Amino acid sequence: MKNWIWAVLIVFLAVLLLASASFYTVNQSQNALLMQFGKQISVQKAPGLYLKWPVLQNVEYVDKRLQNYSPQPESFLTQDKKPLLLSYFAEWQVVNPGVYYARLHDQANAQTQIGDVLRAALRSQIATMSMEALIAARQQEISSPVMQAADQHLSTFGIRLVDLRILQVGLPPELLQATYKRMEAEQTQQANTYHSQGKADAEQIRASAEKEKTSILADAYRQQEQIKGQGDAEAASIYGDAYGKDPKFFAFYRSLEAYRHALSDKTVLVLNPDSPFFKYFRHSLNEAGK
């Protein structure tokens, strides 16, 4: 009796296990591939509960959500053979899970394939543009042709390229350092040119100022001599008029001028008392003696 109960229990459990292995679920973020002996039998894209043969069939799930691909910045050569560092970001999605699973099998292989395709498309596009044009280009001018070429290639793997964004365009570190040094040398050369030009301009300004100074001094000296000559002529005329009107007063005035220029507090003169120089002194002394 006990053996019969155990037999029924084992059969029940076996049926239960087979029944549970006969169903599988698909959620909204997945596509389900029904496989039999390694071959695809069907693809279920709608969410729900589905039936399969236990043991003989198995299910592989493929994520149908948007995936992203964001590698490290990579170096590319422009049309003028200049290396350029490019940083980019891509979004992709599985649209044909059967082809995707058959050719790539999993997401790791998909990322590798997407990277190879995008790298080749970017290299081809950048090779047609100069560095100046590439730096000045708008986002769509670079990404649109790359997306078109890459999406066409990735469609053979059941993948659709949804978006591609160029994040940054720059120079490799070694080239950037060389560019900084070249810019520094150019700025130094330009500063030296400005310094030399300024020095030359300063010399020219100084020479012009010196020339103008000499001209002004010469003109001033000429005017001085002219005024002095006019003054001397006017003084001579005045002296002549004064001498003509009163020769004695003129002689007296000239003697006073001579006394004023010749005599001072420390002046010592040794002259004969009868010298004409003391003419008016003797006259003054005689008047004082009276």
Side-chain angles (χ1 to χ4, degrees):
M1 185 66 181
K2 290 183 179 181
N3 292 334
W4 179 80
I5 295 174
W6 279 107
V8 172
L9 183 60
I10 291 172
V11 172
F12 176 76
L13 291 174
V15 172
L16 185 62
L17 289 173
L18 287 174
S20 64
S22 300
F23 295 94
Y24 65 96
T25 59
V26 180
N27 61 38
Q28 294 180 346
S29 64
Q30 295 174 326
N31 291 318
L33 302 177
L34 185 61
M35 312 290 293
Q36 183 172 328
F37 303 115
K39 295 183 179 180
Q40 297 180 25
I41 302 301
S42 64
V43 178
Q44 300 297 339
K45 296 182 178 181
L49 182 65
Y50 296 92
L51 183 66
K52 68 179 180 69
W53 289 104
V55 181
L56 298 178
Q57 297 178 339
N58 65 296
V59 179
E60 297 289 345
Y61 293 99
V62 176
D63 198 330
K64 65 180 180 181
R65 294 174 296 182
L66 285 177
Q67 308 292 325
N68 64 72
Y69 177 75
S70 180
Q72 293 295 322
E74 299 180 38
S75 182
F76 299 91
L77 281 179
T78 62
Q79 186 183 34
D80 43 2
K81 304 303 179 185
K82 294 181 179 179
L84 202 64
L85 201 63
L86 197 71
S87 176
Y88 58 96
F89 171 86
E91 286 186 334
W92 59 276
Q93 187 178 30
V94 176
V95 292
N96 192 332
V99 175
Y100 171 83
Y101 185 81
R103 298 201 62 181
L104 299 175
H105 194 69
D106 58 22
Q107 189 175 4
N109 291 331
Q111 291 279 45
T112 301
Q113 187 63 44
I114 290 170
D116 292 342
V117 171
L118 284 177
R119 196 175 298 109
L122 282 167
R123 186 177 294 110
S124 298
Q125 176 61 25
I126 292 174
T128 64
M129 304 175 68
S130 66
M131 178 178 286
E132 291 75 11
L134 191 61
I135 293 176
R138 294 178 297 178
Q139 174 79 224
Q140 295 299 324
E141 294 178 19
I142 305 174
S143 61
S144 292
V146 173
M147 274 194 67
Q148 184 177 358
D151 187 55
Q152 184 177 1
H153 190 85
L154 290 174
S155 63
T156 61
F157 295 93
I159 294 174
R160 179 171 67 93
L161 190 62
V162 178
D163 193 16
L164 175 65
R165 297 287 176 176
I166 307 299
L167 302 179
Q168 187 176 9
V169 177
L171 297 175
E174 60 279 3
L175 186 59
L176 192 62
Q177 189 65 26
T179 302
Y180 286 153
K181 290 182 178 180
R182 179 175 57 82
M183 291 174 62
E184 183 180 1
E186 290 176 354
Q187 293 298 321
T188 301
Q189 183 180 3
Q190 189 174 10
N192 291 334
T193 301
Y194 287 154
H195 180 72
S196 300
Q197 185 64 39
K199 188 175 180 180
D201 291 345
E203 291 294 335
Q204 184 176 359
I205 292 171
R206 277 195 289 268
S208 178
E210 189 67 26
K211 182 179 179 180
E212 187 175 359
K213 171 188 171 183
T214 303
S215 176
I216 292 172
L217 289 176
D219 187 59
Y221 180 76
R222 181 182 58 78
Q223 293 182 12
Q224 173 189 338
E225 291 300 317
Q226 184 179 1
I227 294 172
K228 184 178 179 181
Q230 292 176 355
D232 290 342
E234 188 174 353
S237 176
I238 293 172
Y239 289 152
D241 291 342
Y243 181 77
K245 292 180 181 179
D246 191 348
K248 291 183 179 181
F249 174 77
F250 182 74
F252 174 71
Y253 175 78
R254 294 302 298 270
S255 296
L256 291 180
E257 284 292 314
Y259 295 155
R260 183 170 63 84
H261 289 292
L263 301 177
S264 66
D265 294 340
K266 297 181 180 180
T267 301
V268 178
L269 294 176
V270 180
L271 297 172
N272 191 328
D274 296 331
S275 173
F277 189 74
F278 292 116
K279 175 181 177 181
Y280 291 102
F281 280 102
R282 288 197 304 270
H283 179 75
S284 299
L285 292 174
N286 292 334
E287 290 293 329
K290 292 180 180 180

